[in-house]
Amino acid sequence: MAVRLISSRVKLLKLTDKSERVSPLIPNFITHYHLADKAPFLNLSDLSERERASVLSELQERYRSEDGFKRQYGKRYMQLRQLTEARLRDLFISRSGKPQRHSPHYFVLGKSFWFKNLHPNTREVRISLDYLRDKSVSFTYPDSFVSMGFMPEFSIKVAPQPYHEKVYLLNELPEVVAKFGLPQDDFSMQYQNYSNEEFEKFIEVQVWDDSPLAWCNDC
């Protein structure tokens, strides 16, 4: 693994940590999950429509036929994703963010048992918050699909929350967590209808440049 990936021993910031970016008990790393047989940081939004259709077809076939493959990609998945990413990017720019990509690379703050177990043998890349550039990083509380507000247009009910439809900057992490706490991870292993339900299981972190690729040369 690349030398800049955080050690698995480091889970939480301590009061003595030199960084003042986040408060105690907030994880000081982010995690990107990816399929064991695929490279990290592959992004459907980077593909042409034809390429994307082929990849989505493969993923849906794996969902139908592969034990332990629980992630679903319905017919309107990309429509919801594109609406979500457009609003996400616009809001990030409105907060003085400087995106270098049309769509971000996605992470969770800390780790997520629920997300990791969407696929069998999921691999992960962890990166310390210290290596992130503030102007290239945003976060939503929780997952951006939920927080950006388009799910009701797809007949998925979402209870409005004060942190929805907002994009936060990295330096706001202590304030947001102090106000709302950390989302509760889900260890139930119940995935049957998750794509039609709202879920608030993690804070999603968006990296709007390709620096993670440089950090992960050996992944």
Side-chain angles (χ1 to χ4, degrees):
M1 300 180 75
V3 295
R4 286 186 174 180
L5 296 184
I6 190 167
S7 165
S8 60
R9 294 182 296 105
V10 183
K11 301 295 186 181
L12 303 171
L13 279 181
K14 299 178 181 179
L15 286 170
T16 55
D17 193 286
K18 65 180 180 180
S19 171
E20 297 179 356
R21 178 174 288 165
V22 295
S23 59
L25 302 183
I26 299 175
N28 70 338
F29 64 95
I30 57 177
T31 303
H32 171 82
Y33 294 105
H34 64 98
L35 294 170
D37 59 348
K38 303 289 186 182
F41 307 117
L42 299 179
N43 195 317
L44 285 166
S45 297
D46 290 341
L47 302 177
S48 68
E49 188 172 345
R50 184 174 181 178
E51 291 170 327
R52 188 160 54 236
S54 177
V55 172
L56 287 170
S57 178
E58 175 196 346
L59 293 172
Q60 274 299 90
E61 178 58 31
R62 294 182 71 169
Y63 168 71
R64 290 189 291 266
S65 62
E66 190 174 316
D67 288 342
F69 198 103
K70 309 176 189 75
R71 188 163 186 181
Q72 303 176 37
Y73 297 87
K75 293 180 179 179
R76 298 195 296 171
Y77 170 80
M78 280 308 303
Q79 183 182 356
L80 174 57
R81 178 165 173 165
Q82 288 167 342
L83 288 169
T84 296
E85 289 183 338
R87 178 171 288 176
L88 191 64
R89 192 175 192 275
D90 287 346
L91 289 174
F92 182 47
I93 292 172
S94 75
R95 299 295 318 280
S96 300
K98 304 294 183 183
Q100 297 178 28
R101 291 177 46 84
H102 184 72
S103 60
H105 295 295
Y106 292 99
F107 296 77
V108 301
L109 177 66
K111 59 184 179 179
S112 169
F113 178 91
W114 182 88
F115 202 104
K116 183 174 183 177
N117 285 280
L118 278 170
H119 310 107
N121 304 313
T122 302
R123 297 190 64 184
E124 60 188 61
V125 178
R126 292 185 179 183
I127 298 174
S128 169
L129 292 182
D130 292 334
Y131 296 127
L132 302 181
R133 304 177 182 130
D134 287 347
K135 291 295 185 181
S136 295
V137 180
S138 60
F139 72 91
T140 54
Y141 191 122
D143 175 272
S144 56
F145 270 31
V146 176
S147 65
M148 288 297 96
F150 290 105
M151 291 179 76
E153 296 182 21
F154 292 77
S155 302
I156 304 171
K157 293 182 179 180
V158 175
Q161 301 294 343
Y163 41 78
H164 288 175
E165 299 189 42
K166 294 181 180 179
V167 168
Y168 296 100
L169 304 181
L170 197 57
N171 61 12
E172 296 176 295
L173 188 56
E175 178 184 354
V176 172
V177 172
K179 187 173 183 178
F180 302 115
L182 287 169
Q184 295 298 305
D185 203 349
D186 185 344
F187 300 93
S188 69
M189 296 293 287
Q190 300 299 312
Y191 293 91
Q192 290 86 341
N193 197 42
Y194 85 87
S195 62
N196 293 312
E197 299 173 348
E198 63 172 307
F199 49 92
E200 304 213 356
K201 307 179 191 299
F202 52 82
I203 288 175
E204 180 184 284
V205 179
Q206 303 93 26
V207 178
W208 294 90
D209 61 28
D210 284 327
S211 56
L213 277 67
W215 298 331
C216 198
N217 287 334
D218 299 325
C219 294

